[in-house]
Amino acid sequence: MDVTEFRKKQHKEVMDFRSALTKETDRGCALFAVAYLDKALSDLLFCAFAYDKKIETDLFGGTAPLANFSSRIKLAFYLGKISKAERRDLDILRKIRNDFAHKAEQIDFETPQISNRCGELYFSYHEKTHRARGHFTAACLGLLSSIHAETLKCQAPEIKEDTSLTELKEKQRTFVKSLMEND
């Protein structure tokens, strides 16, 4: 698939995602939207790493280092794939998702704690007085767009080739010898 076809496919998926969000309850919207962002961030990181057939198991599966959204956010930031503002908004969205996922009581986007967090989102293009769910979905779409753009720019490095053990030992001997001669 060429880049144009890929972008068309991705655009359709984003439009379907946006449409699906409007049909969800507040809880469903929060859980689905952040899961979608989590997957997009995972794809970005996957594209930034050298490929090996064990990468998914080693880094993304089960209890692996990048198996959760929080770890993915941090690594994307420290790799320079997302900005400080993007990291901040992703962390806010993660907290909102956790509120919806882990609280049994009836909550929605107008619950003060959630509404206040939504009002703090940088990536919402709405006026400050707009309703919280609008801020939430606008920020999700803005961040998704940014993550997708960064993913398209990614160029994975090649896995470093092994140096022969004999060659490595010789380099170490030469290095140590040069150190001793300089003393």
Side-chain angles (χ1 to χ4, degrees):
M1 175 182 316
D2 71 1
V3 173
T4 304
E5 286 179 47
F6 177 78
R7 286 183 177 168
K8 283 181 184 178
K9 179 179 176 266
Q10 190 176 56
H11 178 75
K12 182 184 179 333
E13 284 179 11
V14 171
M15 292 298 100
D16 290 346
F17 163 69
R18 178 66 184 103
S19 177
L21 285 183
T22 61
K23 298 172 187 169
E24 289 288 343
T25 64
D26 283 359
R27 189 180 305 267
C29 175
L31 297 176
F32 178 48
V34 177
Y36 201 85
L37 281 170
D38 186 11
K39 174 70 171 103
L41 200 57
S42 177
D43 291 346
L44 168 61
L45 292 172
F46 185 87
C47 290
F49 293 137
Y51 180 75
D52 183 84
K53 63 183 177 184
K54 295 191 294 183
I55 190 172
E56 288 187 53
T57 306
D58 285 350
L59 295 179
F60 296 96
T63 59
L66 298 176
N68 65 63
F69 193 37
S70 178
S71 296
R72 292 172 185 166
I73 293 168
K74 290 173 187 166
L75 185 60
F77 175 72
Y78 287 111
L79 285 174
K81 301 299 181 188
I82 60 173
S83 70
K84 190 177 278 192
E86 290 166 331
R87 178 185 180 177
R88 180 186 173 279
D89 270 16
L90 287 167
D91 278 328
I92 290 171
L93 293 172
R94 180 181 54 78
K95 290 173 186 173
I96 292 168
R97 186 248 354 236
N98 287 347
D99 285 343
F100 278 107
H102 300 295
K103 292 185 178 181
E105 72 260 17
Q106 183 60 39
I107 58 174
D108 57 30
F109 282 106
E110 298 311 314
T111 300
Q113 180 178 352
I114 293 171
S115 179
N116 291 341
R117 284 185 176 149
C118 289
E120 295 174 11
L121 293 165
Y122 289 141
F123 280 80
S124 173
Y125 53 82
H126 293 296
E127 295 292 327
K128 196 75 170 159
T129 57
H130 196 77
R131 50 189 202 97
R133 184 168 170 153
H135 284 296
F136 178 87
T137 56
C140 286
L141 289 166
L143 287 161
L144 183 61
S145 174
S146 181
I147 291 167
H148 280 168
E150 190 63 32
T151 303
L152 287 172
K153 292 189 317 187
C154 263
Q155 291 189 357
E158 295 293 320
I159 291 181
K160 184 178 176 180
E161 290 187 31
D162 290 328
T163 305
S164 74
L165 196 51
T166 306
E167 190 179 329
L168 182 62
K169 285 181 180 181
E170 187 55 40
K171 283 182 181 178
Q172 289 172 338
R173 283 186 194 111
T174 304
F175 177 70
V176 170
K177 189 176 180 180
S178 71
L179 290 176
M180 294 173 100
E181 289 172 357
N182 291 333
D183 280 345

